[in-house]
Amino acid sequence: MNDMSNGGGDRRIHPGSGRRKAPVFPKGRLLKDEERNAITELLGDRPRRRDLLIEYLHLIQDSEGCLPAGHLQALGEELRIPMAEVYEVASFYAHFDIVRDGEERPAPLTVRVCDSLSCMMAGAEQIIAELEKSAPKDLRILRAPCMGRCDTAPVCEVGHKHLDHITAQGVLDTAKAGDTHPDIPAYKDFKSYMKEGGYELLKQCVSGERDVEGVIDVLSDAGLRGLGGAGFPTGRKWGFVRAEAKPRLMAVNADEGEPGTFKDRFYLETNPHAFLEGMLIGAWAVEAETVYVYLRDEYPAAREILLQEIAAVEAAGLATHTTIELRRGAGAYICGEESAMIESIEGKRGLPRHRPPYVAQVGIFDRPTLVNNVETLYWVPDILKNGAEWFASQGKNGAKGLRSYSVSGHVKEPGVKLVAAGTTARELVEDHCGGMRDGHTFKGYLPGGASGGILPESMADIPLDFGTLEEHGCFVGSHAVVILSDKDEMKSVAVNLMRFFEDESCGQCTPCRNGTEKAVKLMSGGNWEPEVLEDLSSVMADASICGLGQAAPNPLRCVLKFFAEDLK
């Protein structure tokens, strides 16, 4: 007989070989009845749709304070989604806390302190250090990116309640009191808006008194552009989407995560129906079956307002031509990019798509999709009411229309400044913000948030509008203007901005994922090497998939170009 122990193979009977039946055990984690029942009860009669995954993750997070593994497994089973997909989505977004079996849950209450530029300039670093030192064990302190409240820096969020002009003791006192619900500001509600003639323009559109071509012509003649950052002509965009085959959809980008930007929150929390009427007119114009309003999770007060006011609009029969779905972001700056936002609306990770095709052709669920920013839609009713010339004539220095500049930094009166398009940074500081803060001298400014670059005070007389700054390596973007002073160290400013891009990179493409990380390491060192940093910047700008990686080097390049004295 052959010696089967020497090269002949193992002839012993193995379980499952067919000779002897092995015990059968389910593969993977065993789902418990209580976990399945918890999800069934939490979801109630809500539809079991794949695109609602992120909404249901929020339900679990709000209910449990985290995402327990068993609840995720039960949710995947309920929605018929593989566990791998549930985990990859849940782990992508910063506001979800996955807790695996055997791991401790996070502290009962989380405080997120903004460490973006305006808050850093206002002393956020010192406050974070104090909180990390003195916070009790039942309180978790986290750093967070811009919360859209730059005019009241430094800020934080205790649970879902925002605090402005914070001190460490004030944060601890609020947390101890357990007051974690958002404060709802006074705003113009449905009844007040209707008393002023609200929704009359929508009624004229739906009834046929106004035709689509005429409405689009008025918006085009007015010079209304996309005010989320890209500046694409609104009338042309509506026309492009309308020319595509039905069925069509619409998405509202209310995910203004660009550091320094807070104008959309201002309008949502003061006059939401002007925006809603503009949105419904847009849905009518392109015959969108459904409108998805994608609102950043950092705006809980705006969410409460929209939930209530959308319900009022629907109850009044003003949205019969479309369906409105309010979707909640989960802490991902990248979802401000329109294709990443669409991926998130579909319940996926917010990874930007390759283009073409463009979202006007292949958008949500592969349907032609109109994407507009909140402020863009906010102006639609006023333009249709007052005429194209009324809006276009408001601009200056060759620009058309009104602009909402979000101004923060070292000025006496920061805030949303509604002024003529084409206004300069110097005019914003001197004529609309009460000048520089005492003890501060105007040194430079960010014309378009973190990605828009940095310019010196000597270039503060350039009109802030689309197309006026590109020759200097900058752009106006969402019109977020952060004013810097002689007290700001430009290296620290640039490092803060690059760290933001490093944290917010979706990780899909190597130039952005590795480039931002490498840039932070090089910039955090004692001596900058301009040639190396410029080479790295070129790779990121030329090879990244989307605007995040392409624009990430802008602040770095501007410091090298305009603030060389600060590098010595």
Side-chain angles (χ1 to χ4, degrees):
M1 295 179 64
N2 292 331
D3 184 358
M4 303 303 294
S5 64
N6 294 315
D10 188 353
R11 295 291 303 274
R12 290 175 296 178
I13 297 175
H14 288 276
S17 66
R19 299 188 184 185
R20 184 171 62 198
K21 204 161 189 178
V24 177
F25 296 102
K27 293 182 178 180
R29 186 184 184 282
L30 295 179
L31 183 62
K32 301 175 183 177
D33 289 339
E34 56 266 30
E35 295 165 343
R36 182 182 290 108
N37 293 338
I39 292 301
T40 301
E41 182 178 349
L42 196 60
L43 265 58
D45 59 358
R46 294 178 175 87
R48 270 55 171 173
R49 294 190 344 234
R50 171 67 176 79
D51 63 292
L52 292 171
L53 173 59
I54 295 173
E55 291 296 303
Y56 296 158
L57 291 174
H58 274 302
L59 286 178
I60 300 172
Q61 180 79 34
D62 290 344
S63 174
E64 300 292 324
C66 61
L67 300 178
H71 288 65
L72 292 180
Q73 183 179 0
L75 179 62
E77 183 177 278
E78 191 76 10
L79 299 181
R80 299 178 181 274
I81 303 173
M83 273 302 298
E85 290 187 27
V86 176
Y87 267 87
E88 74 174 9
V89 172
S91 60
F92 181 84
Y93 295 93
H95 291 185
F96 293 141
D97 297 303
I98 298 176
V99 176
R100 294 171 175 80
D101 293 329
E103 292 181 344
E104 288 188 16
R105 294 193 175 198
L109 183 58
T110 295
V111 173
R112 300 179 189 275
V113 184
C114 177
D115 67 354
S116 287
L117 183 59
S118 294
C119 284
M120 182 197 77
M121 292 161 59
E125 288 294 336
Q126 293 86 341
I127 293 171
I128 292 172
E130 290 179 42
L131 288 172
E132 289 176 340
K133 182 179 179 180
S134 57
K137 292 183 179 180
D138 61 350
L139 188 63
R140 180 173 59 159
I141 307 299
L142 295 180
R143 292 173 174 269
C146 185
M147 296 180 178
R149 310 180 76 86
C150 315
D151 54 332
T152 57
V155 300
C156 77
E157 189 176 15
V158 181
H160 292 302
K161 181 185 182 70
H162 282 99
L163 301 180
D164 300 325
H165 303 297
I166 61 171
T167 63
Q169 190 57 52
V171 173
L172 295 174
D173 290 344
T174 300
K176 185 177 180 180
D179 183 7
T180 61
H181 296 287
D183 292 324
I184 309 301
Y187 67 93
K188 189 179 295 183
D189 62 10
F190 179 73
K191 185 176 180 180
S192 300
Y193 189 72
M194 290 294 286
K195 281 184 178 180
E196 298 178 356
Y199 292 101
E200 286 302 316
L201 290 160
L202 173 64
K203 292 176 183 178
Q204 292 172 14
C205 293
V206 174
S207 68
E209 185 177 342
R210 288 177 180 262
D211 62 86
V212 176
E213 289 73 19
V215 166
I216 290 177
D217 286 345
V218 171
L219 298 181
S220 296
D221 292 343
L224 181 64
R225 306 179 70 164
L227 298 174
F232 193 85
T234 302
R236 287 178 60 193
K237 180 181 284 190
W238 287 21
F240 287 159
V241 175
R242 185 174 171 79
E244 296 293 326
K246 296 180 182 178
R248 309 179 194 113
L249 299 172
M250 180 176 178
V252 176
N253 192 338
D255 192 69
E256 59 170 1
E258 183 72 30
T261 313
F262 46 92
K263 61 185 178 63
D264 289 350
R265 177 184 63 80
F266 173 79
Y267 288 120
L268 291 173
E269 292 183 355
T270 55
N271 191 9
H273 287 283
F275 149 68
L276 289 173
E277 183 171 12
M279 178 190 79
L280 290 171
I281 291 173
W284 160 80
V286 302
E287 300 177 75
E289 292 184 353
T290 304
V291 181
Y292 296 88
V293 182
Y294 190 87
L295 180 69
R296 65 184 313 216
D297 197 33
E298 289 85 351
Y299 288 176
R303 182 171 181 270
E304 293 297 322
I305 291 170
L306 286 176
L307 284 171
Q308 180 170 319
E309 301 308 316
I310 289 172
V313 169
E314 292 173 334
L318 295 169
T320 56
H321 60 294
T322 191
T323 301
I324 305 172
E325 290 201 23
L326 180 60
R327 293 298 180 86
R328 182 177 168 190
Y333 165 75
I334 191 62
C335 290
E337 195 277 336
E338 62 178 8
S339 66
M341 175 188 67
I342 284 174
E343 289 287 299
S344 190
I345 288 172
E346 293 180 357
K348 305 172 185 174
R349 294 177 295 166
L351 301 180
R353 298 176 178 178
H354 291 273
R355 291 175 288 185
Y358 296 95
V359 299
Q361 303 164 307
V362 182
I364 303 171
F365 308 130
D366 295 333
R367 297 180 180 181
T369 302
L370 172 65
V371 178
N372 277 140
N373 163 261
V374 169
E375 190 194 357
T376 303
L377 296 170
Y378 177 89
W379 287 116
V380 169
D382 274 346
I383 291 173
L384 295 181
K385 177 182 178 182
N386 299 308
E389 179 60 24
W390 165 80
F391 187 77
S393 64
Q394 303 284 342
K396 61 192 298 185
N397 295 318
K400 287 185 177 182
L402 293 165
R403 290 290 187 276
S404 304
Y405 294 92
S406 304
V407 186
S408 63
H410 297 300
V411 291
K412 289 181 179 178
E413 301 169 10
V416 175
K417 307 300 175 179
L418 179 58
V419 296
T423 296
T424 68
R426 195 180 308 282
E427 289 171 331
L428 286 172
V429 172
E430 297 178 356
D431 301 337
H432 303 285
C433 294
M436 297 294 293
R437 290 172 52 200
D438 293 340
H440 290 262
T441 301
F442 191 7
K443 179 177 182 178
Y445 65 104
L446 281 64
S451 58
I454 310 173
L455 291 172
E457 177 273 339
S458 61
M459 300 174 69
D461 296 308
I462 301 172
L464 298 177
D465 194 36
F466 301 108
T468 63
L469 303 171
E470 280 73 4
E471 64 178 296
H472 306 294
C474 299
F475 55 80
V476 74
S478 59
H479 296 74
V481 182
V482 183
I483 304 299
L484 308 174
S485 82
D486 58 328
K487 301 292 192 287
D488 296 311
E489 203 278 312
M490 298 309 296
K491 275 189 177 181
S492 298
V493 169
V495 171
N496 177 278
L497 298 173
M498 189 61 75
R499 281 200 177 115
F500 168 79
F501 291 121
E502 177 191 18
D503 291 340
E504 295 297 330
S505 173
C506 73
Q508 181 178 192
C509 69
T510 302
C512 177
R513 180 184 65 247
N514 291 0
T516 53
E517 179 184 9
K518 183 66 173 179
V520 168
K521 289 181 179 178
L522 292 174
M523 294 165 69
S524 298
N527 296 315
W528 284 17
E529 298 182 47
E531 292 185 3
V532 175
L533 290 171
E534 177 54 38
D535 184 54
L536 181 59
S537 296
S538 296
V539 172
M540 286 192 283
D542 295 342
S544 295
I545 290 174
C546 80
L548 190 155
Q550 294 163 9
N554 287 348
L556 165 60
R557 283 174 154 173
C558 286
V559 170
L560 291 172
K561 182 177 182 181
F562 300 117
F563 300 93
E565 287 297 318
D566 285 56
L567 304 182
K568 295 179 179 178

